Amino acid sequence: MRTIRLGLLAGLAAFALVTTSAQAADLPSRYSPAPAYEAMPTFTWTGFYVGANLGYGWNTGTSRYYDPAFGYVGSSKTGGFVGGAQAGYNYQFGMFVLGAETDLQYAAVGNKGASYGNTHFPGNSDGFFGTIRARMGVAFDRALIFGTGGFAYGDVGGNVGYDPVLGYHRDNSTNGGWTLGGGVEYGVTNNISAKVEGLYVNLDTSGNYAGGARYTDRRDTEFGVLRAGLNYKFN
């Protein structure tokens, strides 16, 4: 009889232990779940962008025209303000960035005056140029070192002749050529970047007047540009 009682007590104790454990498992945990990890967005140069720039340009070539008394005469070199806007697209794969950019610039870098003999006749130095270029670079996170080159066009001077019979003659024509350069760009934010860039531009110009007739002469209008700019990249 005593043995039966001990067995019943042991069974009741085991049942109570199992029931208590099951109820404890159903209670909410006092520990918070592990926080979910959210990675910070990685900076990328990929995307369309627009921007503006300003800087200084200087004429490195010599504009010439034909004088019947003195032959071909060279005019002086000038320089001045350059400023405008640009737009383009970059694509980044790994450390490398490929892109294309076009820009249009006001440029007071030409010599639109003329020389007749030993006399120089100053002219307006206002002009413009634009480029359509490829860009290739290497990115170090937010810093981009790049080279650029392509087609250039514009009218920055070198097309004026002075003739004692006809006076000033201005050939308002857009000339084509090429450009080459490079620079550094840095991503200030995920959407805004700042750059410093240098370009060498070579445009072909032709045509002068002297003695009442036009003399066609191919000339290289060459100038350098150093400019700083800001770009806004669309997500």
Side-chain angles (χ1 to χ4, degrees):
M1 199 63 181
R2 184 178 180 182
T3 303
I4 294 174
R5 290 177 181 176
L6 290 175
L8 289 174
L9 291 175
L12 290 174
F15 176 78
L17 180 61
V18 171
T19 302
T20 303
S21 299
Q23 292 176 348
D26 293 335
L27 294 176
S29 173
R30 292 178 296 174
Y31 297 98
S32 301
Y37 176 72
E38 295 183 2
M40 294 295 292
T42 303
F43 180 82
T44 178
W45 290 97
T46 298
F48 290 95
Y49 63 89
V50 296
N53 66 83
L54 55 84
Y56 182 81
W58 61 97
N59 199 317
T60 62
T62 300
S63 298
R64 299 184 297 164
Y65 90 106
Y66 185 81
D67 184 312
F70 298 93
Y72 286 109
V73 180
S75 61
S76 61
K77 302 174 182 178
T78 60
F81 172 78
V82 172
Q86 69 272 351
Y89 179 81
N90 288 322
Y91 179 75
Q92 182 173 355
F93 54 100
M95 292 181 62
F96 301 99
V97 177
L98 293 179
E101 181 175 289
T102 182
D103 66 311
L104 186 62
Q105 308 286 133
Y106 166 85
V109 301
N111 182 16
K112 295 190 178 181
S115 297
Y116 188 84
N118 295 321
T119 304
H120 178 69
F121 299 86
N124 190 349
S125 63
D126 292 350
F128 79 94
F129 78 94
T131 69
I132 302 173
R133 296 172 284 108
R135 297 209 319 168
M136 296 174 287
V138 179
F140 301 92
D141 192 20
R142 293 179 177 267
L144 175 66
I145 302 173
F146 65 89
T148 184
F151 175 73
Y153 61 94
D155 180 11
V156 296
N159 294 328
V160 164
Y162 179 82
D163 182 85
V165 177
L166 302 176
Y168 280 110
H169 285 266
R170 177 78 178 95
D171 183 7
N172 291 303
S173 60
T174 300
N175 308 290
W178 56 273
T179 182
L180 191 66
V184 178
E185 191 167 355
Y186 183 79
V188 181
T189 69
N190 286 343
N191 297 100
I192 298 176
S193 62
K195 71 173 183 177
V196 177
E197 182 178 50
L199 292 177
Y200 169 81
V201 183
N202 186 307
L203 301 177
D204 292 335
T205 59
S206 63
N208 280 290
Y209 293 83
R214 176 167 179 164
Y215 294 81
T216 300
D217 174 39
R218 180 185 179 276
R219 305 183 305 281
D220 291 331
T221 299
E222 307 166 44
F223 58 95
V225 174
L226 182 62
R227 61 191 182 184
L230 290 175
N231 285 326
Y232 179 86
K233 180 172 68 69
F234 299 94
N235 291 329

